[in-house]
């Protein structure tokens, strides 16, 4: 859960991910996306702005892989994701030495990650033309898991207000919203 942007451009982001469910709710003045997926039942939907789309099995698999890859899946289960790694020359990121690791799939780089050589925190990632930088590392709750609470990228900055692990998911969020009817197409009589 977090906030995006500042001032009039401000928005909110709420993401839940588990092996069973994916839920995203992203709202800003420029963009709105809502998505809910029940992975086991292979059902889901996406709403971008006012456009609603049911997801087929291929869409669900693709979304799941994208999120897993973004949230460490490529590092935790590289074989399952078809990932190999290549260690590149260290680089400086914000004045600190960083290990540079290319994530490769079928000989092509899918992402380049930069890890602080002292803390091992991922401080930067490049996927295609998208660069994300990670800051404000803190322990999550009473765990020893350290996560970045600020993410900066071309699509906007996100400041996490809350990160939870092993939380319960409200299955009511999977319910597809009722489509809004467009009254502007009614004929005047």
């Amino acid at each position: 859960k977090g906030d995006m942007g500042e001032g009039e451009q401000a928005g909110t982001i709420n993401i839940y991910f588990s092996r069973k469910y994916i839920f995203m709710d992203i709202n800003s003045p420029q963009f709105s996306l809502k998505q809910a997926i029940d992975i086991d039942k292979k059902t889901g939907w996406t709403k971008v702005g006012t456009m609603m789309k049911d997801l087929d099995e291929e869409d669900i698999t693709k979304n799941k892989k994208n999120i897993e890859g973004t949230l460490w899946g490529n590092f935790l289960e590289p074989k399952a994701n078809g990932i190999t790694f290549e260690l590149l020359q260290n680089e400086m990121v914000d004045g600190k030495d960083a290990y540079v690791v290319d994530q490769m799939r079928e000989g092509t780089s899918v992402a380049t990650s930069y890890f602080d050589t002292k803390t091992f925190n991922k401080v930067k990632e490049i996927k295609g033309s998208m660069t994300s930088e990670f800051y404000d590392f803190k322990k999550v709750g009473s765990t020893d898991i350290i996560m970045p609470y600020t993410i900066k990228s071309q699509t906007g900055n996100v400041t996490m207000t809350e990160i939870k692990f092993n939380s319960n998911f409200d299955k009511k969020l999977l319910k597809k919203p009722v489509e809004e009817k467009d009254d502007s197409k009614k004929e005047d009589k």
Side-chain angles (χ1 to χ4, degrees), residues 7 29 69 80 84-85 93 104 109 125 139 145 155 157-158 175:
T84 57
F85 302 102
V93 176
M104 310 287 287
S109 176
E125 183 169 75
K139 283 186 178 183
I145 300 170
T155 57
N157 300 337
V158 175
K175 185 174 171 26

Side-chain angles (χ1 to χ4, degrees), residues 6-187:
E6 297 176 9
E8 292 179 13
Q9 306 301 314
T12 60
I13 183 169
N14 189 5
I15 297 175
Y16 179 92
F17 176 74
S18 72
R19 295 196 187 274
K20 292 185 176 191
Y21 308 108
I22 298 171
F23 177 78
M24 290 190 285
D25 187 358
I26 301 169
N27 275 297
S28 74
Q30 306 81 18
F31 179 75
S32 118
L33 167 99
K34 213 172 210 182
Q35 182 176 76
I37 297 173
D38 185 324
I39 295 167
D40 290 341
K41 291 183 179 175
K42 295 179 173 69
T43 60
W45 53 267
T46 297
K47 182 178 180 185
V48 179
T50 59
M51 293 177 41
M52 183 74 74
K53 177 187 178 204
D54 287 324
L55 301 177
D56 61 25
E57 194 170 338
E58 184 179 331
D59 293 327
I60 291 167
T61 300
K62 183 179 165 187
N63 279 284
K64 181 177 179 274
K65 280 191 174 201
N66 281 342
I67 290 175
E68 284 175 343
T70 300
L71 299 174
W72 298 97
N74 288 347
F75 290 101
L76 296 174
E77 298 175 339
K79 284 184 183 177
N81 290 304
I83 297 293
T84 57
F85 302 102
E86 184 177 335
L87 182 62
L88 305 176
Q89 181 69 42
N90 285 14
E91 291 184 27
M92 299 299 280
V93 176
D94 285 337
K96 295 180 182 176
D97 196 30
Y99 297 116
V100 182
V101 179
D102 242 359
Q103 299 169 52
M104 310 287 287
R105 183 178 291 127
E106 298 175 3
T108 303
S109 176
V110 295
T112 304
S113 298
Y114 299 74
F115 298 91
D116 184 300
T117 58
K118 291 193 179 6
T119 64
F120 299 102
N121 293 331
K122 182 167 69 170
V123 293
K124 181 177 173 181
E125 183 169 75
I126 300 173
K127 283 186 177 181
S129 62
M130 176 65 74
T131 299
S132 299
E133 296 177 347
F134 307 93
Y135 301 93
D136 193 22
F137 291 89
K138 301 176 193 173
K139 283 186 178 183
V140 176
S142 61
T143 72
D144 284 332
I145 300 170
I146 296 173
M147 296 290 290
Y149 277 71
T150 300
I151 302 169
K152 295 182 179 181
S153 71
Q154 291 98 318
T155 57
N157 300 337
V158 175
T159 302
M160 303 297 170
T161 54
E162 182 179 37
I163 298 175
K164 291 181 185 177
F165 292 108
N166 300 319
S167 61
N168 291 324
F169 179 68
D170 182 356
K171 292 179 193 162
K172 290 177 191 167
L173 295 172
L174 295 172
K175 185 174 171 26
K176 186 175 167 183
V178 176
E179 291 189 56
E180 298 168 19
K181 293 183 180 169
D182 187 354
D183 291 336
S184 65
K185 293 181 183 175
K186 285 184 180 176
E187 293 180 30

